[in-house]
Amino acid sequence: MKSFVSAFVASVLVGVGVVNAASSNVIYPNNPLIWYHGRWDKGYGSWWAGTGFNLHVENLSSLSLQLGPNTTSPSLPIGVSVNYGAFATVDVKNGANVIPLSGNSTLTDSLRPSRPTSTVIRINVQGPGDNLYLQKIILNSGARLLPYTPSKLAFQFIGDSLSSGYLLPNQIDGAWPILTSDYFKAEPQTTVQPGACLTDRECWGNVHGISYQFFKLESTSYYYNANHNYTTDWDFRRDYPPTHIFFQAGTNDFSFQVTDADISARYDEFLTKLRRLYPRQPIFALGTWGWPNEDGTYGYFYEGVLENVVANKRTNGDTNVFFVNTRGWVAFDDVYDDKTHLNPQGSAKLAAHLEDYLKNWGLQPQKKWPTPIY
Ligand SMILES: *[C@@H]1O[C@H](CO)[C@@H](O)[C@H](O)[C@H]1NC(C)=O
Ligand SMILES: *[C@@H]1O[C@H](CO)[C@@H](O)[C@H](O)[C@H]1NC(C)=O
Ligand SMILES: *[C@@H]1O[C@H](CO)[C@@H](O)[C@H](O)[C@H]1NC(C)=O
Ligand SMILES: *[C@@H]1O[C@H](CO)[C@@H](O)[C@H](O)[C@H]1NC(C)=O
């Protein structure tokens, strides 16, 4: 987000007067110590599930978010994680929102009252169609923003409802991409859209497919947003550069009768585009885990298609793209009644299998997060 932040510093400073963040407990969105991730528009509005920001704060005892009027109405759920603990769901809305910070002892270290403590707060938007417009972050007096040091690992996920945690109570924060990222102590970026086809066509209310929308700042929900009913190119230089790419899509294409030949061509084109964007990063293409039945069998579709596309890429010299065979990773008990979407147990299972896969592949979790918490 570096280029984004510096690009808007000048104009925002003119608007609000000179802000001395070091001595103030009001933090404005242009503050370079806010570590943004995901996709944000020029008005500091978030798009896509999982978009958010991390803060590293000394002497933090209270946190409140002032959100703008274009924030999803009447409210939206965000995930709040204190010191890399699990994400708790908090509903926020236009105006002032006190963010509960309970649940972590390092915040109220009564054994060491005279010593400043520092806390990492991670905040993200849980649902795919929601927008959070950040106006101010208000900290207790005496709190001070410190730099946040991101992990050396950064995972970029591209997918549909099977990656976005659709039907999970905490949506993206309960989904396997976030679970796997946390396990490896990696910074996640989740450009995932439930209902979207890979093919650029309308599917389940998504006016575009992933093969189009991934290259845009806005998610497909722009079309239903009267305040921002347009889509603009995403400047990939604004991303914290991902180290590993995960791709999962095609289930919705199957529902809309996209043929094997067509989806094969779409997979091939999309992987080619990803390779152009990410020349050195390993790309993991996840095959379908199918639709589990009660009798232990599975419904499969596009059998062998993605596998063949990946095999062709490898034959043609790109040996840094991998087909991940997820068959058998989850079963009937691991999905909701729709026999499709992973329940909390299924998400955890899928994450655990993927973690094993990645460790066998040669990736090890970071020993610790690089931002020191004291
Ligand atoms: C909020 O929406 C209005 C249109 O209704 C637009 O003019 C304005 O720029 C938006 N504000 C932000 C911060 O994006
Ligand atoms: C509190 O922070 C520690 C790391 O300092 C973390 O391991 C733990 O999960 C957190 N607890 C909660 C409830 O968030
Ligand atoms: C921490 O903040 C409190 C107010 O919440 C203040 O009284 C205290 O002096 C601060 N401590 C340090 C070390 O800045
Ligand atoms: C967005 O624009 C399209 C036309 O381009 C229109 O059909 C749609 O109703 C608009 N959505 C909203 C919420 O205004």
Side-chain angles (χ1 to χ4, degrees), residues 297-312:
T297 61
Y298 292 81
Y300 290 118
F301 52 89
Y302 295 147
E303 292 201 61
V305 173
L306 181 57
E307 199 164 0
N308 286 338
V309 169
V310 170
N312 274 332

Side-chain angles (χ1 to χ4, degrees), residues 42-61:
K42 292 182 185 183
Y44 294 100
S46 71
W47 294 85
W48 301 86
T51 288
F53 56 88
N54 295 358
L55 304 172
H56 182 207
V57 196
E58 188 177 64
N59 200 19
L60 179 68
S61 58

Side-chain angles (χ1 to χ4, degrees), residues 184-265:
F184 280 94
K185 298 186 172 62
E187 305 295 346
Q189 186 141 279
T190 48
T191 319
V192 296
Q193 183 65 35
C197 286
L198 176 63
T199 307
D200 186 23
R201 52 156 295 158
E202 180 157 0
C203 294
W204 305 121
N206 292 290
V207 288
H208 283 290
I210 293 165
S211 56
Y212 173 90
Q213 207 68 36
F214 177 66
F215 300 93
K216 302 293 167 184
L217 186 160
E218 299 82 1
S219 67
T220 55
S221 63
Y222 78 86
Y223 188 82
Y224 302 99
N225 188 329
N227 294 325
H228 190 122
N229 189 355
Y230 56 88
T231 191
T232 54
D233 288 345
W234 177 243
D235 178 355
F236 283 89
R237 290 170 303 182
R238 288 170 59 180
D239 284 336
Y240 179 60
T243 57
H244 298 77
I245 314 299
F246 298 85
F247 167 71
Q248 167 279 313
T251 308
N252 294 307
D253 301 73
F254 183 74
S255 303
F256 282 84
Q257 285 93 44
V258 173
T259 64
D260 281 34
D262 283 346
I263 194 70
S264 175

Side-chain angles (χ1 to χ4, degrees), residues 80-88 101-107 118 120 369 373-374:
V80 179
S81 155
V82 176
N83 289 338
Y84 298 106
F87 285 90
L101 300 176
S102 57
N104 209 296
S105 59
T106 58
L107 282 174
S118 90
V120 168
W369 293 95
I373 307 164
Y374 47 82

Side-chain angles (χ1 to χ4, degrees), residues 133-152:
Y133 277 82
L134 187 62
Q135 285 188 332
K136 289 176 198 171
I137 300 170
I138 301 142
L139 308 174
N140 54 290
S141 65
R144 189 166 72 100
L145 268 195
L146 301 174
Y148 176 81
T149 309
S151 173
K152 287 200 184 81

